[in-house]
Amino acid sequence: FSLLKKSKKFNFEYFHGSLNDKSINEIHTDNKKLEKFIAGHRIQYKPINNFKLSISELVVYGNRSIELAYLNPISFFWAQEHNLGDLDNVLLAFDLGYRILPGLIFYNTLVIDELSWEKIFSNWWGNKYSYQVGLFLSFKNLKLPDFRFEFTAVRPWTYTHPNFSYNHRDYNIGAYHGPSSISYRLESFFIPRSNLVMKFIFEHIKKGIGLGSNINDNYYLRDKNKDWNTNFLLDHHFSTNHLEMNIDYYVTNMIKLKSRFIAKNRRDSLEHNYINDESMILEFIIGADIIW
């Protein structure tokens, strides 16, 4: 369930819901479903029409019935979680958006899972945070393409927890590429004709490999000898270039022809030295959607 309150300069949102700790198949196989819940609230302030900023809290918890402390929309989740014994997974997020001029928007997000301000510029494992910077350009004429550029970086172990990671049915609900990742994404979308929709994506991704890079990793199992040497991309990582083009052609409102072309390659590296080059992967899909 959710609540929403709007005013001229302030918006307040709150929600509480449930998650699945495992996939549906695993739940049926084990005949066991653990309780897992998520709650969040966000306050947004708009001092001027072209600028917005907000602060949010999110918490994932479970192995018990619904927690009354998180049912209070205006309570501070960080304080509640501390009072409950520091068992749950709480995130704090700050974001802003600025319309530089009509059609040109700059946005930025910082998500803090855990960090120490005294150690923030070190490679201490507990500095768990992610940030994203984006720029979006669009035109009034939809026949012209829009452009979106995003830079996203996520420290190792971010979103992870011994019991309550930020996932649902094994799908990550945090940053798309998960912990220990850096990505540069360029995206364009346009409608050259009323029945033709095109989308272009290019993304360069660097992703760590090993404990601390997967949303389901348990940080209690980390190698504590590396607590002060946890690099952004860990010691072993890979880089991927991903190119994708989608074209949808609407024959009628009920019949759509669609095609997708994907090209990507991957390189593995160890301590910044490339150790393996994999061949290019090409994929082409063509099909149709029929609604009746």
Side-chain angles (χ1 to χ4, degrees):
F1 62 89
S2 63
L3 301 172
L4 174 63
K5 174 64 177 177
K6 291 186 176 183
S7 67
K8 186 174 182 180
K9 290 187 177 294
F10 286 94
N11 286 353
F12 178 77
E13 302 171 77
Y14 166 82
F15 76 92
H16 192 288
S18 63
L19 300 171
N20 279 341
D21 188 60
K22 298 180 179 179
S23 68
I24 295 296
N25 288 337
E26 289 178 298
I27 291 173
H28 281 275
T29 300
D30 298 339
N31 195 25
K32 184 178 181 182
K33 181 181 184 296
L34 298 177
E35 296 293 348
K36 186 176 180 180
F37 303 99
I38 183 170
H41 52 192
R42 178 175 185 261
I43 186 168
Q44 177 185 280
Y45 175 54
K46 183 172 69 172
I48 58 176
N49 286 335
N50 292 329
F51 181 70
K52 299 178 181 179
L53 66 141
S54 67
I55 180 171
S56 310
E57 281 187 311
L58 288 164
V59 59
V60 173
Y61 70 98
N63 289 348
R64 61 188 190 271
S65 58
I66 291 176
E67 180 58 60
L68 294 178
Y70 301 134
L71 290 179
N72 184 349
I74 60 173
S75 67
F76 293 100
F77 290 170
W78 278 67
Q80 296 284 11
E81 192 255 354
H82 178 71
N83 291 336
L84 292 168
D86 295 326
L87 298 175
D88 306 324
N89 195 356
V90 177
L91 290 184
L92 184 65
F94 305 88
D95 62 272
L96 62 87
Y98 177 59
R99 184 168 57 191
I100 302 171
L101 50 87
L104 181 60
I105 298 172
F106 168 83
Y107 55 94
N108 174 253
T109 301
L110 170 65
V111 177
I112 299 173
D113 187 347
E114 182 182 345
L115 58 79
S116 170
W117 294 109
E118 298 176 353
K119 308 167 186 174
I120 192 169
F121 295 110
S122 71
N123 283 333
W124 181 54
W125 81 275
N127 284 333
K128 299 181 288 180
Y129 59 85
S130 70
Y131 56 91
Q132 182 181 83
V133 178
L135 195 66
F136 178 69
L137 174 64
S138 64
F139 303 93
K140 290 183 178 180
N141 184 352
L142 292 180
K143 292 184 178 181
L144 297 175
D146 63 27
F147 297 95
R148 181 188 302 274
F149 173 78
E150 286 183 348
F151 169 77
T152 307
V154 187
R155 282 274 302 165
W157 299 106
T158 306
Y159 307 117
T160 67
H161 193 270
N163 300 303
F164 312 118
S165 295
Y166 275 79
N167 66 333
H168 173 58
R169 296 181 182 176
D170 287 337
Y171 289 98
N172 180 15
I173 57 175
Y176 184 77
H177 297 294
S180 187
S181 66
I182 297 174
S183 66
Y184 304 84
R185 181 181 178 93
L186 177 65
E187 184 176 288
S188 180
F189 176 89
F190 66 109
I191 307 173
R193 294 169 51 185
S194 60
N195 60 347
L196 183 63
V197 179
M198 304 180 70
K199 186 176 183 180
F200 169 85
I201 300 168
F202 175 77
E203 190 167 21
H204 178 69
I205 307 146
K206 293 182 178 181
K207 173 68 177 174
I209 301 174
L211 276 176
S213 65
N214 189 294
I215 192 72
N216 295 307
D217 288 342
N218 182 342
Y219 55 67
Y220 285 168
L221 303 179
R222 71 186 188 279
D223 182 355
K224 295 183 180 180
N225 293 320
K226 296 183 178 181
D227 275 2
W228 290 94
N229 189 29
T230 304
N231 298 316
F232 224 106
L233 293 172
L234 301 175
D235 293 332
H236 189 194
H237 62 274
F238 66 88
S239 61
T240 301
N241 291 315
H242 180 100
L243 176 66
E244 181 175 336
M245 179 176 289
N246 297 276
I247 301 176
D248 294 336
Y249 179 77
Y250 289 82
V251 181
T252 69
N253 290 336
M254 300 176 64
I255 301 175
K256 178 179 72 173
L257 304 179
K258 58 182 183 180
S259 64
R260 174 184 295 176
F261 172 75
I262 298 174
K264 57 184 176 182
N265 71 321
R266 167 174 161 166
R267 296 180 111 188
D268 286 8
S269 63
L270 182 63
E271 296 179 351
H272 308 292
N273 295 316
Y274 290 110
I275 59 175
N276 180 39
D277 286 347
E278 295 190 3
S279 59
M280 175 79 72
I281 297 175
L282 300 175
E283 182 178 311
F284 181 70
I285 300 172
I286 189 169
D289 284 345
I290 301 175
I291 302 173
W292 53 13

